């Protein structure tokens, strides 16, 4: 059982380039999330989705876009990459936000913008 | 405005002693909290949770206490082990996380 899979694990982008961070889960979870973690800092919620076709902004959505065309996939798009987007990105999924649920996280994507 | 706060960025304890990690929240509507543990270069993993209908939840060496009147929860690890050295995050059910506390357990 793979859980939450993120690709790529590492990436270096030049300023102004674009890229898509991939996230897939095989647990049939409704909820999916994208976070970023800056060095020495906590996790900040970028975007989340409560089901296919539904997405919503989190705490730090500027500079990012998401889509959720299937239950399994939740890609994060960076347009016009900036050095401030250098971070480690984590994708997570959960069954829902009712009691007795927890989120499962991917291993992260380390992104450097130079 | 951060609604879940961990005000201690780091904590160091001796192996075998108790570790107490704290978390405060501002929204009294929050009724479920989760603790996650994160090792370097890995994603966070779920540790323990608590519902507001309880004031305590235990799982082996880990106990979470909830004080609703103070809007405060704490994670107790007894006895602490070197393998517990990690960053611990608390989160409310809306999946917004505190800043984390780095726990170091010294042998």
């Amino acid at each position: 059982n793979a859980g939450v899979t993120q690709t790529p694990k590492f990436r270096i982008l030049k300023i102004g380039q674009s890229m898509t961070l991939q996230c897939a889960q095989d647990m049939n979870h409704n909820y999916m999330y994208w976070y970023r973690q800056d060095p020495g800092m906590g996790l900040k919620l970028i975007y989340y989705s409560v089901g296919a076709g539904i997405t919503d902004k989190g705490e730090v959505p500027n500079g990012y876009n998401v889509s959720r065309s299937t239950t399994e996939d939740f890609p994060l798009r960076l347009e016009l990459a900036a050095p401030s987007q250098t971070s480690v990105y984590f994708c997570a999924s959960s069954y829902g936000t009712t009691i007795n649920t927890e989120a499962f996280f991917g291993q992260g994507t380390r992104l450097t913008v130079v | 405005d951060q609604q879940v706060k961990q005000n201690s960025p780091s904590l160091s304890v001796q192996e075998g002693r108790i570790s107490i990690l704290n978390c405060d929240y501002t929204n009294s509507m929050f009724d479920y909290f989760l603790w996650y543990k994160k090792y370097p270069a890995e994603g966070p993993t779920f540790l323990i949770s608590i519902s507001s209908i309880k004031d305590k939840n235990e799982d082996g060496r880990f106990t979470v206490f909830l004080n609703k009147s103070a809007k405060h929860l704490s994670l107790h690890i007894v006895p602490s082990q070197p393998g517990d050295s990690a960053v611990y995050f608390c989160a409310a059910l809306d999946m917004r996380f505190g800043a984390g506390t780095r726990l170091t357990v010294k042998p």
Side-chain angles (χ1 to χ4, degrees):
Chain A
N1 196 349
V4 178
T5 303
Q6 291 183 236
T7 55
K9 288 186 170 50
F10 303 93
R11 183 72 186 267
I12 299 174
L13 275 184
K14 293 185 177 178
I15 294 171
Q17 286 186 321
S18 301
M19 77 162 293
T20 299
L21 282 67
Q22 302 291 345
C23 176
Q25 53 93 7
D26 61 1
M27 296 172 281
N28 201 32
H29 284 167
N30 293 319
Y31 286 65
M32 295 188 75
Y33 314 86
W34 273 106
Y35 293 89
R36 60 177 286 172
Q37 184 183 25
D38 298 333
M41 306 293 284
L43 295 161
K44 290 293 186 183
L45 182 63
I46 305 171
Y47 270 96
Y48 65 97
S49 168
V50 302
I54 306 169
T55 63
D56 212 341
K57 296 178 180 179
E59 301 166 282
V60 290
N62 291 345
Y64 307 95
N65 279 300
V66 293
S67 59
R68 184 94 182 272
S69 57
T70 66
T71 299
E72 294 78 18
D73 300 298
F74 190 40
L76 177 72
R77 178 82 177 162
L78 278 72
E79 305 282 1
L80 298 174
S84 61
Q85 293 178 304
T86 294
S87 191
V88 181
Y89 292 83
F90 291 100
C91 178
S93 71
S94 67
Y95 183 72
T97 57
T98 55
I99 287 177
N100 294 326
T101 187
E102 72 266 19
F104 295 81
F105 283 79
Q107 294 293 296
T109 295
R110 183 175 296 274
L111 176 68
T112 303
V113 182
V114 296
Chain B
D1 181 31
Q2 193 163 10
Q3 299 196 58
V4 177
K5 298 181 182 180
Q6 294 175 260
N7 292 318
S8 299
S10 63
L11 173 68
S12 180
V13 300
Q14 207 67 34
E15 180 178 6
R17 306 296 290 267
I18 185 171
S19 296
I20 301 176
L21 296 94
N22 295 305
C23 181
D24 297 298
Y25 61 96
T26 57
N27 190 338
S28 58
M29 298 297 291
F30 286 162
D31 58 3
Y32 195 73
F33 300 90
L34 307 97
W35 284 92
Y36 289 82
K37 177 179 180 179
K38 185 184 181 302
Y39 292 117
E42 294 184 10
T45 55
F46 170 73
L47 187 58
I48 192 169
S49 61
I50 188 164
S51 162
S52 62
I53 63 174
K54 294 183 174 181
D55 54 18
K56 176 182 172 181
N57 188 27
E58 281 183 86
D59 184 1
R61 296 185 297 112
F62 302 90
T63 302
V64 56
F65 295 91
L66 176 61
N67 182 333
K68 291 184 284 294
S69 60
K71 297 193 185 72
H72 176 81
L73 60 155
S74 60
L75 174 68
H76 293 212
I77 306 173
V78 183
S80 301
Q81 299 174 353
D84 296 329
S85 297
V87 178
Y88 290 79
F89 295 98
C90 65
L93 202 54
D94 66 352
M95 289 299 290
R96 281 160 170 79
F97 283 65
T101 297
R102 180 178 300 278
L103 173 65
T104 303
V105 180
K106 298 180 178 179

